[in-house]
C-alpha cells in the first residue's frame, strides 16, 4: 500500500512539474520570454498594436511572447503581471489601462529582478526607476496639433461662441488625460470657444455611438466634434447620420479624430472627417530595438516617442491610404 501511495505521489509530482515546464520563465528553445499585459481589444488602433507586437516577437526571432488581454480592466492587468512574476519571465511589458495604481506591483516586479517596459500609455509613479523606459506617443503634442488646427480655421464667432462636443476616451488613461488637457487649455485660452458637452465614450465605437445618440435627443447645438479616437468617431458619425446632422467638409459639424487609421483616413479623403491626428500603433520594431540595446548593456532613453503627423484631405491620396498598415 505504501509503495502504491509513493507511486501515486511521484506521478502527481511529475504531472505538476511537467505542467509547470510549459509555463516556466525559461523556454526549452532558449527563447527570450516576454510577458505582455495588453489593455484590451477596444479599438482598431489596439488591434494593430497587438498585431505589431505579435509579428515582431516571434520564435524565429528568438522570442516567446506571452500576451494577456486585460479587457480594459486594471485588476486583470495586476493579476496577469503577478503571474508573469511567478513564471519568471525575462521581461515584462505593460500597456497600462490607466496611469494610477501601479506603484505596488511595479515594486514587486523590481524585487523579482525583472525589467519592465511601459508601452503606449504611461504610469504615474513616484520612482521612475521602477521601469526601464516608456515607449509610445506624445499625447499632449497630438492634442496641441488638434487645437492649433482649430485656431487655423478662424471659425466665425462674431455672433456666437464656437461650441465643441468633446468625446473622451477611457478616464484615467494617458491618451485621454493629455488629449483632454490640450483641449481644456485651448478652451481656456479662447474666450470665444466653449464646451457643448464632454462625454465618456471609453474608446469604443459602441459607447461612442450610444452616448452621442443619447446626447442628440436634447442637444444639437455644436460646431466641432473633438473625438479622442477613431472608433468613437465612427460611432458618433453613425449617430449624426441617424439624427440628420451633417458633418465634414460640406457639413455643419467639423470632425477631429485621433489615431488616423486607414478607415478614418479614407473618410478624410472623402470629406467626411476634417482632421486626423495620427497615433502610430506599430510599436513592435521600436520596442525590439530597445530590448536589444538593453540586453547588450547599452543605455536606453527613459521616454521614447514614435513619429507621428496630422492629415487633412489635402495631405491624402489613395496611395497613402493603401500603404497604411493599420
Ligand atoms: O488612441 C485608442 C486606444 O492608448 C493610444 O487607446 C492608445 C489609445 C488609442 O483604444 O484607439
Amino acid at each position: 500500500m505504501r509503495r502504491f501511495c509513493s507511486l501515486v505521489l511521484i506521478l502527481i509530482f511529475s504531472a505538476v512539474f511537467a505542467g509547470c515546464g510549459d509555463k516556466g520563465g525559461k523556454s526549452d528553445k532558449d527563447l527570450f520570454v516576454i510577458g505582455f499585459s495588453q489593455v484590451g481589444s477596444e479599438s482598431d488602433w489596439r488591434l494593430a498594436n497587438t498585431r505589431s507586437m505579435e509579428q515582431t516577437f516571434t520564435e524565429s526571432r528568438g522570442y516567446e511572447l506571452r500576451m494577456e488581454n486585460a479587457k480594459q480592466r486594471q485588476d486583470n492587468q495586476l493579476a496577469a503581471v503577478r503571474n508573469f512574476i511567478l513564471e519568471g519571465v525575462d521581461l515584462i511589458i505593460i500597456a497600462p489601462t490607466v496611469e494610477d495604481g501601479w506603484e505596488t506591483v511595479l515594486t514587486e516586479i523590481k524585487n523579482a529582478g525583472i525589467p519592465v517596459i511601459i508601452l503606449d500609455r504611461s504610469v504615474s509613479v513616484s520612482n521612475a526607476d521602477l521601469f526601464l523606459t516608456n515607449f509610445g506617443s506624445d499625447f499632449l503634442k497630438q492634442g496641441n496639433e488638434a487645437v492649433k488646427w482649430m485656431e487655423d480655421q478662424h471659425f466665425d464667432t462674431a455672433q456666437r461662441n464656437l461650441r465643441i462636443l468633446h468625446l473622451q476616451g477611457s478616464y484615467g488613461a494617458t491618451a485621454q488625460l493629455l488629449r483632454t488637457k490640450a483641449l481644456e487649455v485651448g478652451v481656456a485660452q479662447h474666450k470665444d470657444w466653449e464646451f457643448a458637452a464632454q462625454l465618456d465614450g471609453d474608446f469604443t465605437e459602441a459607447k461612442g455611438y450610444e452616448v452621442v445618440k443619447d446626447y442628440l435627443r436634447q442637444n444639437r447645438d455644436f460646431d466641432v466634434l473633438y473625438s479622442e479616437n477613431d472608433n468613437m468617431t465612427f460611432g458618433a458619425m453613425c449617430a449624426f447620420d441617424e439624427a440628420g446632422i451633417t458633418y465634414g467638409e460640406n457639413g455643419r459639424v467639423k470632425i477631429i479624430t485621433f489615431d488616423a487609421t486607414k478607415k478614418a483616413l479614407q473618410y478624410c479623403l472623402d470629406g467626411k472627417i476634417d482632421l486626423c491626428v495620427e497615433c502610430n500603433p506599430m510599436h513592435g520594431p521600436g520596442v525590439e530595438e530597445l530590448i536589444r540595446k538593453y540586453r547588450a548593456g547599452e543605455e536606453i532613453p527613459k521616454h521614447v516617442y514614435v513619429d507621428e503627423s496630422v492629415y487633412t484631405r489635402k495631405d491624402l491620396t489613395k496611395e497613402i491610404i493603401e500603404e497604411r498598415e493599420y
Side-chain angles (χ1 to χ4, degrees):
M1 185 62 186
R2 268 178 70 180
R3 271 187 55 192
F4 175 72
C5 286
S6 318
L7 192 66
V8 170
L9 276 177
I10 290 169
L11 285 177
I12 291 173
F13 271 117
S14 24
V16 167
F17 281 114
C20 288
D22 301 333
K23 284 265 164 186
K26 300 285 159 261
S27 72
D28 317 340
K29 298 173 198 147
D30 205 24
L31 300 171
F32 187 78
V33 181
I34 299 177
F36 173 33
S37 171
Q38 175 61 296
V39 169
S41 31
E42 74 282 4
S43 64
D44 294 337
W45 186 98
R46 187 66 56 194
L47 299 180
N49 183 248
T50 297
R51 215 169 46 238
S52 172
M53 296 295 279
E54 284 175 343
Q55 284 168 356
T56 305
F57 296 103
T58 58
E59 281 203 17
S60 60
R61 304 163 75 112
Y63 299 98
E64 182 188 331
L65 183 68
R66 295 182 190 165
M67 196 189 72
E68 291 293 334
N69 180 329
K71 305 201 168 84
Q72 285 182 281
R73 288 181 47 172
Q74 187 181 34
D75 52 347
N76 288 338
Q77 297 205 281
L78 298 178
V81 165
R82 291 193 166 113
N83 254 329
F84 294 146
I85 299 177
L86 286 177
E87 291 170 16
V89 297
D90 296 307
L91 182 136
I92 293 176
I93 299 179
I94 302 173
T97 45
V98 289
E99 286 195 354
D100 289 339
W102 290 101
E103 195 100 25
T104 307
V105 80
L106 285 176
T107 308
E108 291 169 27
I109 304 175
K110 191 165 183 71
N111 291 341
I114 302 173
V116 185
I117 292 178
I118 306 295
L119 190 78
D120 163 27
R121 304 169 181 176
S122 307
V123 290
S124 151
V125 286
S126 55
N127 177 6
D129 288 344
L130 290 175
F131 57 87
L132 279 181
T133 183
N134 188 173
F135 185 96
S137 296
D138 187 341
F139 298 114
L140 191 61
K141 179 164 172 266
Q142 293 176 357
N144 287 336
E145 294 278 2
V147 168
K148 185 174 170 303
W149 180 85
M150 283 167 65
E151 286 168 345
D152 292 345
Q153 300 314 297
H154 302 292
F155 290 110
D156 178 10
T157 54
Q159 306 300 322
R160 64 194 265 293
N161 281 351
L162 182 79
R163 290 175 54 80
I164 303 159
L165 179 60
H166 182 192
L167 195 44
Q168 298 180 281
S170 317
Y171 288 149
T174 316
Q176 177 273 316
L177 292 169
L178 296 181
R179 288 168 184 167
T180 290
K181 183 176 176 184
L183 181 61
E184 286 179 343
V185 169
V187 169
Q189 284 173 347
H190 294 81
K191 282 199 283 313
D192 53 350
W193 291 9
E194 65 187 34
F195 284 109
Q198 292 181 290
L199 310 172
D200 174 13
D202 204 19
F203 283 133
T204 69
E205 196 155 331
K207 188 91 189 285
Y209 168 73
E210 193 184 301
V211 294
V212 172
K213 185 184 163 94
D214 206 48
Y215 177 74
L216 295 177
R217 286 185 219 284
Q218 313 277 347
N219 316 274
R220 287 161 166 254
D221 185 16
F222 53 91
D223 313 290
V224 175
L225 171 73
Y226 179 105
S227 166
E228 290 178 1
N229 89 342
D230 285 351
N231 289 88
M232 295 191 298
T233 306
F234 303 149
M237 286 163 69
C238 194
F240 288 171
D241 286 339
E242 288 177 8
I245 291 176
T246 60
Y247 51 86
E249 206 166 87
N250 301 315
R252 188 169 68 73
V253 174
K254 300 296 158 215
I255 297 186
I256 297 171
T257 189
F258 291 82
D259 284 353
T261 54
K262 205 170 193 145
K263 187 168 163 189
L265 290 181
Q266 186 60 51
Y267 279 135
C268 189
L269 186 62
D270 296 343
K272 291 183 169 174
I273 288 179
D274 298 276
L275 179 72
C276 288
V277 182
E278 184 180 33
C279 184
N280 184 350
M282 310 313 278
H283 291 168
V287 174
E288 193 198 14
E289 176 70 25
L290 289 178
I291 293 178
R292 239 187 288 131
K293 284 191 174 155
Y294 166 74
R295 293 176 75 189
E298 290 172 38
E299 274 285 310
I300 56 175
K302 201 73 206 181
H303 211 136
V304 179
Y305 292 117
V306 288
D307 278 345
E308 293 165 337
S309 64
V310 295
Y311 299 91
T312 60
R313 186 177 182 173
K314 68 172 179 13
D315 306 310
L316 291 168
T317 58
K318 268 214 127 4
E319 292 66 46
I320 293 179
I321 297 176
E322 265 156 29
E323 277 169 20
R324 193 96 179 155
E325 286 178 277
Y326 58 96

